[in-house]
Amino acid sequence: MSVSADSPATLNASGLSRRFGGGFGNFGNSGGHTAVDNVDLTLKRGEVLGFLGPNGAGKTTTMQMLTGNLAPSAGAVSICGVDLLESPVAAKAHIGYLQETPPLYRDMTVGEYLEFAARLHLVPKARRRAAVDTVLARCGLADVRRKLIGALSKGYQQRVGIAQAIVHEPDVIVLDEPTVGLDPNQIRDIRALIRELGSAHSVILSTHILPEVEAICDRVQIMHHGKMVYADTIAGLKQLHSGRTLLVGLTQPRALDELRTALLQVTGVQEIDAAGDKLFRVHTAAATDPTEGIVALASTHHWGLRQIGPAQTSLEEVFVNLTQAEAQP
């Protein structure tokens, strides 16, 4: 998916904060907990945003504020230009939300439940049947329309959860862990549906499955301790530190410390678990290339150089580097 620079913004959040205890809205008081601290977030039409963070980072609290289910202590949210705090009903008409546990009524049939969801989302009666028919087809639920939700598999229940979130054709869709607990085939189907939704809507996808983000999303934002600590496109992620990290494979790295002392361009060396040859991630100073020096050292000390080249930074590495300092309980 590609999002053009002039694509309209569907969601804007600025200075979003939430404090629990210690006085509502008073960040100067002691004795409270700041769950979300001064978060900014923008989403464009046709964009799928991966929203990440370790447990307790503030993701769920942020999503609850973005969807109008929790009032912020400070900050503002607008959906398609409508202020969420000043005009909540009008703003929420543009939002579809699937929480981690889908809000399903197991004793209703799929069709009955989606008809009910359409009414709650204020879909006009004249268009309600067509809206339900459309979302049944879009989510692959037409064949189970008359089945009880409680009799469906977990994968189909997730589809129903997504269907209730999009039955009113919202501009912004917020999905919290939509593939958790699914088998590989179900995950593949849900991912395909999310990609399809991203072509016409704006989607926020919260997940702990990092390959899922790289496969589906256009952009990623990472929260840690209530703050936004990383924001970039997936393409930007792949270019992160491009030219500043080398992957070096050696068979006999007996004098590896010389990489740190003999070459000023080298700022750090990290061993990577790998079968066979020893693999090392060599971090270099900006605007430098120590490749020739490493080759010369490897030849002099008979390290058995097998490979050397630029290394890409993965989303997993970014995530770990940004969140590994999380306080222990």
Side-chain angles (χ1 to χ4, degrees):
M1 292 167 290
S2 61
V3 182
S4 64
D6 57 353
S7 295
T10 54
L11 183 150
N12 279 294
S14 59
L16 205 60
S17 301
R18 174 69 196 199
R19 184 176 179 82
F20 294 98
F24 185 81
N26 189 344
F27 285 77
N29 286 351
S30 60
H33 168 62
T34 302
V36 177
D37 188 4
N38 197 33
V39 164
D40 296 332
L41 191 149
T42 300
L43 193 64
K44 292 187 174 183
R45 186 174 300 280
E47 182 177 40
V48 179
L49 171 67
F51 194 40
L52 308 177
N55 292 332
K59 302 187 308 298
T60 297
T61 300
T62 300
M63 288 187 291
Q64 288 176 339
M65 290 190 288
L66 293 176
T67 55
N69 291 287
L70 180 67
S73 300
V77 181
S78 66
I79 311 294
C80 295
V82 182
D83 190 294
L84 182 59
L85 296 179
E86 293 182 358
S87 305
V89 175
K92 288 180 182 181
H94 297 281
I95 302 172
Y97 181 36
L98 173 63
Q99 58 198 54
E100 183 175 352
T101 302
L104 305 178
Y105 290 97
R106 298 172 59 86
D107 55 349
M108 280 186 172
T109 68
V110 173
E112 289 170 343
Y113 174 71
L114 293 178
E115 174 82 14
F116 174 63
R119 290 172 59 191
L120 291 178
H121 285 300
L122 304 181
V123 176
K125 186 175 181 179
R127 293 198 298 108
R128 205 172 294 155
R129 179 60 182 263
V132 171
D133 289 344
T134 297
V135 81
L136 283 168
R138 197 174 190 184
C139 295
L141 295 168
D143 291 341
V144 297
R145 178 177 196 146
R146 293 179 175 81
K147 286 192 175 182
L148 291 177
I149 292 175
L152 299 178
S153 68
K154 179 71 180 295
Y156 270 94
Q157 288 185 9
Q158 287 293 91
R159 288 173 183 248
V160 176
I162 294 176
Q164 65 81 27
I166 67 173
V167 69
H168 57 305
E169 286 292 324
D171 296 281
V172 178
I173 302 169
V174 180
L175 306 175
D176 190 0
E177 302 282 353
T179 61
V180 67
L182 304 185
D183 66 37
N185 288 329
Q186 294 168 337
I187 290 174
R188 182 188 60 191
D189 292 342
I190 295 298
R191 286 179 181 176
L193 175 58
I194 294 171
R195 281 194 294 267
E196 191 270 329
L197 291 172
S199 64
H201 307 264
S202 300
V203 179
I204 297 177
L205 171 65
S206 173
T207 178
H208 285 98
I209 306 174
L210 301 186
E212 187 166 79
V213 174
E214 293 187 286
I216 297 175
C217 300
D218 304 289
R219 192 161 53 88
V220 60
Q221 293 195 201
I222 300 175
M223 288 192 71
H224 186 46
H225 292 319
K227 295 180 179 290
M228 203 68 74
V229 295
Y230 180 84
D232 203 350
T233 63
I234 294 297
L237 169 70
K238 292 179 179 179
Q239 294 300 318
L240 186 68
H241 300 312
S242 177
R244 296 182 59 182
T245 306
L246 296 174
L247 192 64
V248 180
L250 306 167
T251 58
Q252 300 292 332
R254 291 189 297 270
L256 190 62
D257 284 344
E258 292 203 25
L259 282 175
R260 303 182 180 92
T261 59
L263 297 176
L264 296 178
Q265 305 102 314
V266 173
T267 60
V269 180
Q270 176 187 10
E271 186 171 353
I272 302 171
D273 291 333
D277 295 349
K278 293 285 188 178
L279 283 179
F280 300 89
R281 190 176 295 277
V282 178
H283 302 278
T284 68
T288 65
D289 184 0
T291 302
E292 290 186 6
I294 293 173
V295 171
L297 279 173
S299 176
T300 300
H301 297 286
H302 307 289
W303 288 346
L305 181 65
R306 292 296 184 92
Q307 71 176 80
I308 185 169
Q312 285 189 344
T313 302
S314 70
L315 177 56
E316 180 177 0
E317 290 172 300
V318 174
F319 184 89
V320 170
N321 288 338
L322 291 172
T323 61
Q324 63 184 351
E326 186 171 11
Q328 297 297 318

